[in-house]
Amino acid sequence: MSDDDFEPPRPGEKVIELPPADDAGLIFIGRIRTPWADRHDAPRNPMESDAVCTVELDPRYVEGLRSLTTSTHLILLYWLDRARRDLIIQRPRHDDRAHGVFALRSPVRPNPIGLAVVDLLAIDGNKLTIRHIDCLDGTPLLDIKPYFAHSDAKPEAEVGWHKERAKPLPPRGDKG
Amino acid sequence: MSDDDFEPPRPGEKVIELPPADDAGLIFIGRIRTPWADRHDAPRNPMESDAVCTVELDPRYVEGLRSLTTSTHLILLYWLDRARRDLIIQRPRHDDRAHGVFALRSPVRPNPIGLAVVDLLAIDGNKLTIRHIDCLDGTPLLDIKPYFAHSDAKPEAEVGWHKERAKPLPPRGDKG
C-alpha cells in the first residue's frame, strides 16, 4: 500500500464510511503479469497498450481451463489490492467535473474488482498469454470467464459524461 | 443454500479441494430484484428474458450514482451466494462434453461472481431499472460499472465449444 493511494481527496470529491468488508470471502486463484510496476506507468485503459501479458493460474485450478482454447476473448476479474474503497465521488484528473464511483472505471470502489476484456493468444499449462489489460504486475486474479458476443458485446453503448469531457486526454506519459 | 445446489457431480465432472476463502473481503452494496425465486425458473442467459428488473442500491452509496444516467449500458457484478465453489470440471446439462469451469459462465466457480451487461432504463433515487439479467431475486450486488464500447464490445468474439455443442438447447422451461 503506497502513500500515493491515499492522497487527500481532490476538490469536489467525497469519502464515506464503509461497513466492515466481511459479507463474503474471495480466493486469489493466480496472478496477472504485466510490464507495469507502478500505476503511473500503466495504460489508462485496456485498449491503450498492445503489450503481451501473462495470466499465471495457480496450478491447483489448471483443469478448469479445459475447452478454453476455443475462446477468442476472455473476461478477467482481478483484485485491485492497492486501492482505497471509500471515495464515493471522484474527479478524474483530466475532467473538470466530479462523478459518482459507479459512473467510473476507477480502481477506487467499494469492492475493488477490476474487469478487462482481453484477447486470448495462447494457453500453455497454467499460463495464458493475453493482450489488452491495464493492471499492475502481480495483480491477484479472481476469475476467468469466456466472452460471449451474444450477451456481452454492445457496440452501440454510450457513456455520455465521458463523451462530453471538457479536457481531452493528454499524450501518454502524463497520467490521470 | 438448497440441497439442489449440492447434487452429486455428473459423470465426467470433478471436484477439487479449495483453500479457505479469506484472501480478501467483499461488501454487499445492494440487492438485485428479479421475477425469479428459483434457478429452474430463471433464464439460461441474460438475453433470454426481456423482463424489467430493479437494482436496489444501499442508500449509503447513492451519491456514487452521479453521472450514471448518461450511460446506456452497465456491467453489474453480483455474488452467486447459493452456488458451490469447488467443481473444477462441469458438464452443462445440454452438452455431451465436460468443460473446465473457466470455459463456462456457470454460477459454480471458485469465486462465484456473476456478471451481466444490462440496459439501463432509468434511475430513481437508489433504484435502477434495468433489463437483461438472469440472476435470482435478492442476489447481493457487488459493483456497478459503466460499459465502454471502446474496450468492452468485441462483437467478433467466438466460443468454439459452445458453437459446436452437440445438443441444441430445448425450449424454455426444461432448464439446464
Side-chain angles (χ1 to χ4, degrees):
Chain A
M1 198 76 72
S2 74
D3 290 346
D4 179 69
D5 292 306
F6 288 92
E7 60 192 16
R10 299 174 189 151
E13 293 191 330
K14 181 174 175 183
V15 168
I16 58 168
E17 189 176 344
L18 293 183
D22 61 358
D23 286 321
L26 293 168
I27 305 167
F28 295 165
I29 64 169
R31 298 274 166 180
I32 303 175
R33 297 293 167 195
T34 73
W36 308 294
D38 184 282
R39 73 184 174 89
H40 296 285
D41 302 325
R44 285 170 298 209
N45 70 68
M47 297 304 289
E48 195 180 82
S49 169
D50 280 330
V52 172
C53 301
T54 306
V55 173
E56 292 179 2
L57 186 67
D58 182 325
R60 174 196 304 259
Y61 305 105
V62 71
E63 291 174 290
L65 298 175
R66 188 195 293 181
S67 306
L68 195 65
T69 50
T70 69
S71 281
T72 59
H73 295 73
L74 308 177
I75 298 173
L76 299 184
L77 300 181
Y78 40 94
W79 189 247
L80 299 160
D81 58 350
R82 285 186 262 183
R84 66 187 295 169
R85 300 171 68 159
D86 57 355
L87 205 58
I88 195 75
I89 294 179
Q90 301 174 34
R91 195 173 63 73
R93 196 162 300 191
H94 303 295
D95 196 328
D96 287 331
R97 300 158 302 171
H99 305 288
V101 60
F102 302 121
L104 300 169
R105 291 289 276 265
S106 163
V108 174
R109 48 207 316 118
N111 289 304
I113 300 171
L115 180 159
V117 177
V118 302
D119 298 354
L120 174 61
L121 304 177
I123 300 180
D124 181 15
N126 69 323
K127 292 190 172 57
L128 290 74
T129 308
I130 59 166
R131 188 166 47 201
H132 293 314
I133 195 156
D134 59 358
C135 68
L136 298 183
D137 186 43
T139 296
L141 180 70
L142 298 176
D143 202 5
I144 302 170
K145 297 180 189 292
Y147 184 98
F148 283 93
H150 171 66
S151 50
D152 298 326
K154 310 286 175 179
E156 73 279 19
E158 293 194 357
V159 179
W161 72 259
H162 195 258
K163 272 172 68 178
E164 297 150 14
R165 190 171 49 192
K167 303 185 203 170
L169 279 180
R172 208 166 168 268
D174 176 17
K175 310 304 300 303
Chain B
M1 197 76 76
S2 74
D3 290 348
D4 179 72
D5 291 306
F6 289 92
E7 61 192 15
R10 299 175 189 151
E13 293 192 328
K14 181 175 175 182
V15 169
I16 57 168
E17 188 175 346
L18 293 183
D22 61 358
D23 285 322
L26 293 168
I27 305 167
F28 295 165
I29 64 168
R31 297 273 167 181
I32 303 175
R33 297 294 167 195
T34 74
W36 309 295
D38 184 283
R39 73 183 174 89
H40 296 284
D41 302 324
R44 284 169 299 210
N45 71 68
M47 296 305 287
E48 195 180 80
S49 169
D50 280 330
V52 171
C53 300
T54 306
V55 173
E56 293 179 2
L57 186 67
D58 183 325
R60 173 196 304 259
Y61 306 105
V62 72
E63 291 174 290
L65 298 175
R66 188 195 293 181
S67 306
L68 194 64
T69 50
T70 69
S71 281
T72 59
H73 295 72
L74 307 178
I75 298 173
L76 300 183
L77 299 181
Y78 39 95
W79 189 248
L80 299 160
D81 57 350
R82 286 187 262 183
R84 66 188 296 168
R85 301 171 66 158
D86 57 354
L87 205 58
I88 195 77
I89 293 178
Q90 300 175 32
R91 194 173 63 73
R93 196 163 298 191
H94 304 294
D95 196 327
D96 288 331
R97 300 158 303 171
H99 305 288
V101 61
F102 303 121
L104 300 169
R105 291 289 274 266
S106 163
V108 174
R109 47 208 316 119
N111 290 304
I113 300 170
L115 180 158
V117 177
V118 301
D119 299 353
L120 175 61
L121 304 178
I123 301 180
D124 180 15
N126 69 322
K127 292 189 173 56
L128 290 74
T129 308
I130 59 164
R131 190 166 46 203
H132 293 314
I133 195 157
D134 59 358
C135 68
L136 299 183
D137 186 44
T139 296
L141 180 70
L142 298 176
D143 202 4
I144 302 170
K145 297 180 189 291
Y147 184 99
F148 283 93
H150 171 66
S151 49
D152 299 325
K154 309 286 175 180
E156 73 279 19
E158 293 194 356
V159 179
W161 72 259
H162 195 259
K163 273 173 66 177
E164 297 151 13
R165 190 172 49 191
K167 300 185 203 170
L169 279 180
R172 209 169 165 262
D174 175 18
K175 310 303 300 304

